[in-house]
Amino acid sequence: MASHFRNVTFNQQDASIVDNKVVTAHYTAANFVPKNLMEQFSKAANLYFLFLSGLQVTPKVTTTGGIPTIGAPLFLIVTLNAAKDALEDWRRHKSDREENERKCLCVTGSGASAKLEEKNWSDLRVGSMVVVRNNEYVPADMVIVTTAHEQGHAYIETANLDGETNLKTKQAPKAAFDLLKGTGADKAAAVAKCCSIDWKCECELPNEFLYTFAGNVTAKGSAGEEKIPLDEQHILLRGCKVKNVQWALGSVVYTGKETKILMNSKEKVGRKVSHLESTLNKIVLIIFLFQSVLCLIGGLSAAMFETDKNNFSKMYLPLTDAEGNALYSFIVVLLIRYFNFMILFSNFIPISLLVSMSIAKVIQIFFFYADKDMIYKGINCMPRTSDLNDELGQIEYVFSDKTGTLTQNVMDFRKFCVDGVSYGQGVTEIKRQVMFRKGLPVTEPPPPPPDAKKTSNVDLVDPVLDELLKNKSGGQYEKVKDFFFHLAVNHEVVPEVDDNGAMSGYSASSPDEAALCYGANHHGWKFLGKDTTGMTVETIDGSKIKVQVLAQIKFTSARKKSSVIVQYTQDGKEYLKLLTKGADSAIISRLEAQYLNSPETKQSMETLKEFAEDGLRTLCLASRQLTRSEVDDWLQKWNVASLATENRQDKMDEVSDLLEVNLTMDGITGIEDRLQDEVGETIIKMVEAGIKVWMLTGDKTETAINIGIATGLLEAEAGSKGERPEFSTPDFEDAEGKFKPTDMTNKLKTVAAEARQTFTKGDMFEGMVMDGKCLEIALQPENEKDFVAICKVCRTVICCRVTPKQKGAVVRLIKAEEKAITLAIGDGANDCNMIMSADVGIGIRGLEGLQAFNVCDYGISQFRFLQYLLLVHGRWCYRRVAILCNYMFYKNFVVVLPQYFLGLVSGFSGQKLYHDALYQSYNVFFTFLPIMVFGVIDQDVSKRVSLLYPELYKAGLQGLYWNVKVSAGWIASGIWHAMCCFFVPYIVMANGNITHSDGKANDIWGMGFVILTLVCIVTNVVVLMETYYWHKLVTLGMGLTIFAYLSGNAMITGVMFMMSSNLYGTMFRMLFCPMIMAVILVGTLCAVMVDIHIKGLQCCYFPSIMHKVQEKVIEKKI
């Protein structure tokens, strides 16, 4: 049975475990060609054209004289893709080489002979002992045993892991550090002493969890054997940078692809494909079936003609052998002609479609990046894919996080409550927005005195508090003093030091923690620093208190609280206390009964609700006195749990629950996180555009509702625009506070029945509010349909107190049930699930690191940029790509159908109409540039007008540019244009009609040249008819296309006449003939006049919102 743990002996390399070499490259020099070809020809389109190339070299079937003319463009496309893949992989190889050849100090030898040598990162193995110096990156995941810091600390920057640049504290296990004391900052002495000890480590197997680690190490030296617990504080992860300490010594436990950062760097399964591209494949299949039917009709007609004995007498047709019998049987002729026409009609499916669309999308994202309106503090919009540009123009649902997404994630200590008394005046920005929307007057308190103390991340003004702290007396002062002392002690904040050694601020992984520490500092309780035994706090009277930390119980998402056991002396009195800080749901249930029911606590709960309604982020602080025997007994259990290798966290949680009981409330904090600029305006515009905006947040219900009102998601008065059902856990609890799922399910079904009736009437609910516990019930399989039925009639849905897993589940449910195109936007690790679950994921590069930014499809720096991304660029791209795809099919119908019409008048003989070189140049040179310019830059209206009329976005929601009806219209237009391009020249030039003054009849190649000329003119004119934004690039593209056509034909019919002697002089003969020029003019007018009239009728009698807006633009009303 496989072991669940890894055993590591320090300073002994384990060659049986994967090495530290990083390989991200996809190919090698040996396998590139076969592997890349296999991947490229696994695509149906490439296989199709390869099959056609095979037909072109097959005798009897070929119509190209055995020359694979399709092979050239196919080779070009495959080569270009291979070159792109090779370039990308070369960059990966280069990056791998740079990474693997980085240098680090590695311990070699053992005992007294141990020394330090520089080695490549790739040479490290599990068990290698490494010294990481200041400002060096950690080469592999390693357990620290000692550092040059006097308390064994190592400060690290984790920007490569999570994007956070603030320093985090790691430390050597105290017992291990004590074993190596006496070496000071001398790393050679530390290495020698470390190697004299036998270290055996047992730790968990490699996993992707960045913030957890469990293990223990047994140190066996001259003083005996000691087992030391290890956790996430004792491990340095690959990619972190060591800062503010000369060196750190440790042993490698995970290498290479088993390191946590690389296990988090696995490629996402599958590639997100836009809905337009998905339906594109279906259209290609339909056209292929249509092509096959035409080929079958042509094959059957030809077989019937060539095996009909009545035609055997036509000596100019080689239908019989020397004995007068048919050359081939009916079936053989059918097969030959079927494949003849398959080759002739090969362009029904444009070989350049996917390439053209990909190129257009890649160029489009440059405009995303360069948009000056989407730059904030030097950070541009960062598209991480081009595949979903058009998807941005069809978004039906937007799922948004709150903190750091709708808000700035810049926390200010704004208010607090102690013993029922609230401190902090003024109205928060969110509350101000709510009052404004409700039509209530907003009164502001007088500004603070000019000489008032100013502290970063603190915005608390209260003369009553100032007076209380100034007098320093009374029972309330003692409670406030305990409150601030709690804030100054119960945290994981690191003081920042400037070049002069003075403290310049605080650094914390959570901006809330830093704001609380700043709040304590502002009011006189200054946290000065930590060491292995505890921390130092300076109080309001200037005295310094040494606080010994006996144990620290860290915050987890499951516990929703953190605690410390502290021992200190203040005013000559010894204290031994438990300090606990966390969410109200985690703290209130653990209060002692007499305090829970006290008037002060009840008043505090009311204040907590008021804080939440103000949009403040709240935390509850509680504590209790401990006895020495109680602590000693608990610490024994804690040490046993912390040494466990299996289910360590569960065991530690069980032990912590034994202590965190019978607490006394110390106070409540209120942290303000201000709304980002233009959040409300952006949401209102998206709603006007027909997009449903949901908010999925971990905040309390009251906070979420007020944020919803402040941002315009909800109306100020509930029910003013339809019903607003609320599902809140307290509403389904009995007298004992026990949640009753049955009651929740019954209400869900009742509201769902009402929602279905509302949907039938065509009405809407204002919105729905649901908390996490109720959402858990709603997401159960038997309740999903009811939940979706309610959501379908809601203008918005706000889910609060939700977990990251629930966020992803909601997005996936709406995608599956509503068949809707979804977008999720967030800025933190807790948003990654829904970002990856949505059709389009948007990551905000904010203060919560780069986790969301790294997994997103498009990165922005402010929520307000979403209006530019969707209403402007997304809408433009959807229209461009949709028209580009429809046009690609249209123009190939126009060029291919004349060959079918030729079959109608020639007994389906399989005769070609165009010269092969010109035919294959049609897509690549003669019609490529104009539509590409259109697909990249065309704008139906400007950016300003797009934002002024968000309703224009509904074109994407309704599929106005890409649906069966529209595509059928393009195909019908292609059929009509093909008829005009073929029959106008045919009527004038065929059957011996004379068009030239020299009296010579026209041959099929001359007529084919005129037809191809007409086709190129008509198809390019159609692009101009679709173009609204006449840029100089449009003129350039059209000019280059005309030049390519004339020069290409001149070469093939003149200089390069050896390619086809039948074409020699054809171009000049045709273009200098007045009647032929008249044919070209009449054919063009016949084709495009129908389109012009249809567009005119539509604008006059059936105008869309776009036509109305364009009319206003022309009239300069906007």
Side-chain angles (χ1 to χ4, degrees), residues 77-89:
I77 290 171
V78 171
T79 303
L80 287 175
N81 277 326
K84 176 180 72 72
D85 293 340
L87 178 62
E88 290 176 352
D89 211 56

Side-chain angles (χ1 to χ4, degrees), residues 30 305 325 365 574 652 723:
F305 180 87
N325 299 318
I365 63 175
E574 291 283 342
M652 292 173 71
E723 294 188 40

Side-chain angles (χ1 to χ4, degrees), residues 312-420:
F312 288 178
S313 59
K314 299 175 180 178
M315 301 303 295
Y316 59 88
L317 294 177
L319 302 179
T320 60
D321 56 18
E323 299 174 358
N325 299 318
L327 281 175
Y328 305 107
S329 67
F330 182 91
I331 297 298
V332 173
V333 174
L334 171 63
L335 290 175
I336 291 174
R337 294 294 175 247
Y338 176 86
F339 288 120
N340 284 160
F341 286 113
M342 185 66 72
I343 295 172
L344 290 175
F345 299 163
S346 60
N347 273 13
F348 260 129
I349 298 174
I351 191 172
S352 60
L353 172 59
L354 294 179
V355 174
S356 300
M357 187 169 65
S358 297
I359 293 173
K361 287 184 177 183
V362 168
I363 300 174
Q364 285 170 1
I365 63 175
F366 167 77
F367 296 101
F368 286 45
Y369 176 83
D371 191 335
K372 294 180 180 179
D373 290 323
M374 289 199 289
I375 301 176
Y376 179 73
K377 292 185 177 180
I379 301 175
N380 298 59
C381 172
M382 295 296 292
R384 301 172 69 87
T385 180
S386 61
D387 295 333
L388 304 175
N389 294 355
D390 50 290
E391 200 87 325
L392 291 170
Q394 305 172 81
I395 301 298
E396 299 171 67
Y397 286 83
V398 169
F399 300 91
S400 175
D401 176 42
K402 182 188 79 71
T403 304
T405 303
L406 301 179
T407 60
Q408 298 177 16
N409 203 18
V410 176
M411 308 301 177
D412 285 339
F413 185 71
R414 187 63 189 267
K415 296 184 179 185
F416 70 95
C417 173
V418 174
D419 204 34

Side-chain angles (χ1 to χ4, degrees), residues 886-933:
N886 278 319
Y887 175 82
M888 284 291 183
F889 292 118
Y890 150 81
K891 72 184 180 73
N892 279 30
F893 263 72
V894 179
V895 77
V896 171
L897 282 178
Q899 298 205 107
Y900 183 77
F901 298 148
L902 178 64
L904 289 175
V905 298
S906 64
F908 288 100
S909 62
Q911 171 62 44
K912 293 185 296 184
L913 182 60
Y914 313 117
H915 186 269
D916 290 322
L918 296 176
Y919 189 38
Q920 296 304 326
S921 298
Y922 174 75
N923 280 317
V924 181
F925 299 111
F926 302 159
T927 58
F928 178 74
L929 274 180
I931 190 62
M932 285 303 299
V933 173

Side-chain angles (χ1 to χ4, degrees), residues 266-281:
K266 293 177 180 177
E267 294 183 3
K268 290 182 284 188
V269 178
R271 175 178 76 96
K272 287 186 179 180
V273 178
S274 71
H275 284 65
L276 189 151
E277 188 172 340
S278 298
T279 56
L280 193 65
N281 296 330

Side-chain angles (χ1 to χ4, degrees), residues 171 179 229 296 410 422 478 495 852 900 934 979 1079:
Q171 63 185 54
L179 286 173
L296 183 61
V410 176
S422 177
E478 294 298 324
Y900 183 77
F934 174 92
M979 291 173 66
V1079 166

Side-chain angles (χ1 to χ4, degrees), residues 568 573-578 623-627 630:
Y568 60 96
K573 185 178 178 182
E574 291 283 342
Y575 292 91
L576 186 59
K577 297 180 73 174
L578 170 72
S623 64
R624 75 178 177 98
Q625 297 287 341
L626 302 174
T627 64
E630 183 182 12

Side-chain angles (χ1 to χ4, degrees), residues 615-871:
L616 297 176
R617 297 163 62 88
T618 58
L619 284 175
C620 292
L621 278 61
S623 64
R624 75 178 177 98
Q625 297 287 341
L626 302 174
T627 64
R628 174 55 63 183
S629 60
E630 183 182 12
V631 171
D632 290 343
D633 180 57
W634 184 86
L635 283 175
Q636 287 184 358
K637 298 175 182 177
W638 179 254
N639 290 334
V640 171
S642 61
L643 283 171
T645 308
E646 191 171 357
N647 299 324
R648 176 186 290 185
Q649 190 59 55
D650 293 338
K651 293 175 181 178
M652 292 173 71
D653 288 347
E654 290 175 8
V655 176
S656 64
D657 286 342
L658 299 176
L659 194 67
E660 295 169 334
V661 293
N662 300 323
L663 303 175
T664 302
M665 179 75 80
D666 283 348
I668 298 167
T669 62
I671 302 292
E672 180 177 17
D673 187 9
R674 300 177 188 273
L675 288 174
Q676 291 184 15
D677 296 338
E678 299 181 33
V679 165
E681 293 88 336
T682 300
I683 289 177
I684 289 172
K685 283 181 180 178
M686 288 195 291
V687 171
E688 290 175 352
I691 302 171
K692 290 185 177 182
V693 183
W694 291 22
M695 183 170 69
L696 311 180
T697 176
D699 280 322
K700 286 181 281 297
T701 303
E702 297 85 359
T703 305
I705 290 175
N706 273 351
I707 293 286
I709 295 173
T711 56
L713 285 174
L714 296 175
E715 295 300 316
E717 297 296 331
S720 59
K721 286 190 177 180
E723 294 188 40
R724 187 201 292 175
E726 291 186 21
F727 295 83
S728 184
T729 299
D731 296 339
F732 307 106
E733 292 178 343
D734 57 20
E736 298 177 356
K738 186 177 180 180
F739 182 70
K740 301 173 71 175
T742 305
D743 291 352
M744 157 62 198
T745 304
N746 291 338
K747 181 176 179 179
L748 185 73
K749 292 187 179 300
T750 302
V751 176
E754 186 178 345
R756 291 185 178 99
Q757 293 179 355
T758 302
F759 181 76
T760 304
K761 297 176 183 177
D763 296 332
M764 295 287 287
F765 284 0
E766 176 198 339
M768 175 173 64
V769 180
M770 182 176 288
D771 68 16
K773 201 159 190 177
C774 295
L775 183 62
E776 185 178 344
I777 304 298
L779 292 177
Q780 292 176 353
E782 61 272 20
N783 296 325
E784 284 181 349
K785 299 290 185 184
D786 292 326
F787 176 69
V788 172
I790 301 172
C791 296
K792 189 182 293 186
V793 298
C794 289
R795 291 184 175 87
T796 186
V797 174
I798 294 178
C799 298
C800 40
R801 294 293 198 191
V802 293
T803 64
K805 185 177 180 181
Q806 287 177 322
K807 289 183 179 182
V810 168
V811 174
R812 289 189 294 272
L813 177 64
I814 296 301
K815 274 179 62 177
E817 294 294 327
E818 287 290 279
K819 309 299 182 190
I821 301 177
T822 59
L823 178 148
I825 178 170
D827 73 319
N830 60 333
D831 304 315
C832 292
N833 194 317
M834 71 171 181
I835 285 174
M836 291 188 288
S837 298
D839 294 296
V840 180
I842 308 293
I844 290 186
R845 187 166 188 168
L847 299 179
E848 288 194 20
L850 293 177
Q851 299 98 321
F853 193 80
N854 287 337
V855 302
C856 71
D857 302 304
Y858 298 87
I860 56 178
S861 51
Q862 292 274 284
F863 181 85
R864 60 190 167 95
F865 295 159
L866 208 56
Q867 61 183 311
Y868 298 99
L869 201 61
L870 301 185
L871 307 185

